[in-house]
Amino acid sequence: MSTIPDYPARAVVDLDAIRDNVRALRATAPTAQVMAVVKADAYGHGLAPAARAALAGGATWLGTAHGTEALAVRAAVGPEPRVLTWLYAPGAPFAELVREDVDIAVAAPWALDEVADGARAAGRTARVHLKVDTGLGRNGITPEDLPAVLDRAAALQADGALAVIGLMSHFAIADEPDDPSVKMQTHAFEDAIRIVEGAGMPLEVRHIANSAATLTNPAAHYDLVRPGIAVYGLSPVPHLGAPGDYGLRPAMTLEARLATVKRVPAGRGVSYGHFYTTTQDTVLGVIPLGYGDGIPRHASGGSLGPGGPVLVGGGVDDVAAPGTGLGTARVLRVAGRVCMDQVMLDLGPYAPEQAGDVVTLFGASDGLTRAGAPNAEDWAQAAGTISYEIVTRLGARVPRVYAGTAGRETA
């Protein structure tokens, strides 16, 4: 681990892993194009580098939630790939989006006229994807509103202000592929396709598949799939398979240097509230990361729960296979309350670690049960959340350092 000035921790993002994950997703959905979703700073991995790496892996579309993200993506990757944005409020910068050749999803009746006004101001036709609510109950045009939306869209299309080129939706329970709602939403999406095309709007792309549906539901691939978390190598269906089962590998490794290592007696309370107490004379280590950096407070340990897992004493390759007792590295759990800037480990009475030694909170692993080393899903389990949140919530105070060559800008 190279020194990061003024900050003793870093997130290493493997751009080659992102590239290879997209290649694996293309192989899983060979009849569809791949839209790599890079919203929320590419799930915490860094928007521009991740977008370029995804394109290097064969993605032909990039997806964002907010318009500002779409404009940042366009500035980073140039004019070639298609870029889609789908979440905004009235007054969004539609003229700039159209001018920069960003596709815009329309999820509510009011948005049609605002997009059209933006297109007129930009002096070009807006490319629109209608987003229909097939059962998620979130953003999207309801079946009841769809006929009126199509009437208005047809008028604006005849006027040259916009062209309806796509239809999209989103599953509610794609991570349970046998759930009845998946079939129900698929039927509703098919109905919407027939209605839109029956209104004289032939569709260039139809898309509903997120990461889970891309990996588990070939019938939902249509013309385009929209994987998000899978692009970054984490399984959207951890109860069905680890990343490696789907040809994926996690792209982010979060590591830090121990700030303090000290010997304490048995019976010593550790961190706020003393929810962890040492049971023997031991060595405590302090990791200079906390909830101010996005480490979830719900991953506190001791009587508060299992605690987030941390790899100490070596790299992933040094970890013993589960149950073998071999290997130089070991996985320990957070001891006591996660603080704003630090978490504690009970390193054990014979710990050889010293201040400055590297520990890994999560990395490119299939997880504790498979590889004996933690990944983001293991932290999610400790905190009662999902891996998406673990990587996305990592704060700006943690520098991102990029490894690999995929998608790097050339001088």
Side-chain angles (χ1 to χ4, degrees), residues 23-124:
R23 287 176 177 168
L25 291 162
R26 288 178 61 206
T28 299
T31 62
Q33 297 183 70
V34 172
M35 175 190 292
V37 178
V38 294
K39 65 180 180 178
D41 198 31
Y43 291 54
H45 292 70
L47 187 146
R52 290 192 290 265
L55 294 174
T60 54
W61 291 71
L62 297 169
T64 68
H66 298 166
T68 51
E69 297 173 321
L71 294 171
V73 168
R74 178 60 78 207
V77 302
E80 289 303 318
R82 296 248 52 93
V83 178
L84 174 67
T85 183
W86 54 73
L87 185 62
Y88 45 80
F94 294 115
E96 188 175 3
L97 290 166
V98 175
R99 193 176 296 117
E100 292 299 324
D101 198 24
V102 172
D103 288 27
I104 302 170
V106 167
W110 67 262
L112 275 173
D113 283 293
E114 286 215 16
V115 172
D117 288 343
R120 295 186 188 101
R124 60 187 301 176

Side-chain angles (χ1 to χ4, degrees), residues 208-237:
I208 190 173
N210 57 3
S211 287
T214 300
L215 294 175
T216 68
N217 188 359
H221 290 170
Y222 293 97
D223 309 297
L224 180 67
V225 294
R226 300 193 311 264
I229 196 66
V231 169
Y232 310 102
L234 293 166
S235 174
V237 285

Side-chain angles (χ1 to χ4, degrees), residues 132-138 143 169-172 181 184-185 188:
V132 293
D133 183 357
T134 56
L136 177 58
R138 203 172 63 175
S169 191
H170 200 72
F171 284 116
S181 69
M184 179 273 292
Q185 284 194 256

